[in-house]
Amino acid sequence: FVNHGDALKEMQQIAAAHRGKKRVWFHAGEFSDSLALSHISGELPYYWKFFQDNPDTWLELRTKSVNLSVLRSLPPLPNVVVSFSLATEPQAAAYDRETPSVEQRLAAMQRLRDMGFRLGIHFDPIIYAEDFADKMQVIAGQIRKVVGYGAIEYISVGAVRFAKDVYREARSNYVDSQMFARHFIQGADTKMRYIRPLRLHLIETAQAMLKKHGCPEEKIYICME
């Protein structure tokens, strides 16, 4: 999208409607990566000014990219969080195709931390694997060593899920994918999900490994469960 003027006008209306009532969050990167092409698209400075002028609104930039070129030219803001999607090494290799490795993403987080940026992490979607607990323990330790949980604002955990039509297309196009090695059912929200005991097992395992390596429990939240 390039109609940034329209977006900013609507954002200003939303911010004004809720000012003084509750915290308003805007999320960038849910349908495309918020940093990967930012040096080409050039929109971040426009939005930066909006969040400087509206300190009671918050921005989350969601990314798997290590392209920090634009952020290096912008001041860290107390109401902007750069959140990285992470996964265990085997799952990142299998499903995050043509993206930076987990090690590279952690290094980018370390650089942003040193620059003064607020950081978030998303372990979402978690996909079933027999060795998930062991691999999750490894990455939880890597976060502690490379970034430190004190530098993280929040960590979300959530099991893999699909809108029904997307599930049908994905299942058809990726017949051999291990993502579908376990049975999916339709939930109350109509999304296709693992059965509840399996979802909770994965989520609770992720939480336990994060806490074991020093992440405060209050920083972890369960996403869309």
Side-chain angles (χ1 to χ4, degrees), residues 35-64:
L35 293 185
L37 301 177
S38 57
H39 62 296
I40 298 172
S41 51
E43 75 278 7
L44 288 185
Y46 296 101
Y47 291 97
W48 231 248
K49 185 178 187 310
F50 173 87
F51 289 97
Q52 284 177 316
D53 295 341
N54 294 272
D56 53 344
T57 62
W58 287 66
L59 169 66
E60 182 189 50
L61 298 174
R62 295 187 174 184
T63 188
K64 294 179 183 177

Side-chain angles (χ1 to χ4, degrees), residues 2 20 26 33 38 91-92 103 134 147 149 169 173-174 196 204 216:
V2 295
F26 295 95
D33 195 286
S38 57
Q91 291 193 4
E103 185 177 324
D134 293 337
V147 184
Y149 288 103
E169 292 298 321
N173 290 330
Y174 301 98
R196 184 175 176 82
E204 289 168 0

Side-chain angles (χ1 to χ4, degrees), residues 73-213:
S73 67
L74 296 169
L77 297 178
N79 53 334
V80 174
V81 178
V82 185
S83 67
F84 283 76
S85 294
L86 296 180
T88 63
E89 288 281 5
Q91 291 193 4
Y95 304 113
D96 292 353
R97 296 181 180 179
E98 299 185 35
T99 64
S101 67
V102 169
E103 185 177 324
Q104 289 172 317
R105 292 180 222 176
L106 290 173
M109 293 180 69
Q110 184 185 57
R111 289 194 292 274
L112 288 173
R113 178 203 66 191
D114 294 343
M115 293 161 60
F117 284 89
R118 291 176 178 257
L119 299 169
I121 293 174
H122 296 289
F123 282 104
D124 185 15
I126 296 172
I127 298 167
Y128 173 81
E130 287 187 5
D131 62 351
F132 174 70
D134 293 337
K135 301 303 183 184
M136 185 67 205
Q137 176 154 234
V138 171
I139 191 170
Q142 289 176 308
I143 295 169
R144 176 177 56 82
K145 292 176 183 177
V146 178
V147 184
Y149 288 103
I152 307 299
E153 299 294 317
Y154 49 77
I155 299 178
S156 74
V157 293
V160 64
R161 59 197 173 273
F162 295 93
K164 195 172 182 180
D165 56 341
V166 176
Y167 172 80
R168 185 171 57 248
E169 292 298 321
R171 192 73 189 259
S172 174
N173 290 330
Y174 301 98
V175 177
D176 298 324
S177 174
Q178 287 300 303
M179 187 180 299
F180 303 110
R182 288 294 180 273
H183 185 60
F184 281 73
I185 61 171
Q186 186 171 337
D189 60 357
T190 74
K191 290 185 174 64
M192 301 299 293
R193 304 170 179 271
Y194 292 142
I195 60 174
R196 184 175 176 82
L198 179 56
R199 300 199 311 268
L200 295 182
H201 168 69
L202 294 172
I203 289 168
E204 289 168 0
T205 298
Q207 289 177 305
M209 295 306 170
L210 291 166
K211 289 191 288 185
K212 180 178 179 180
H213 286 274

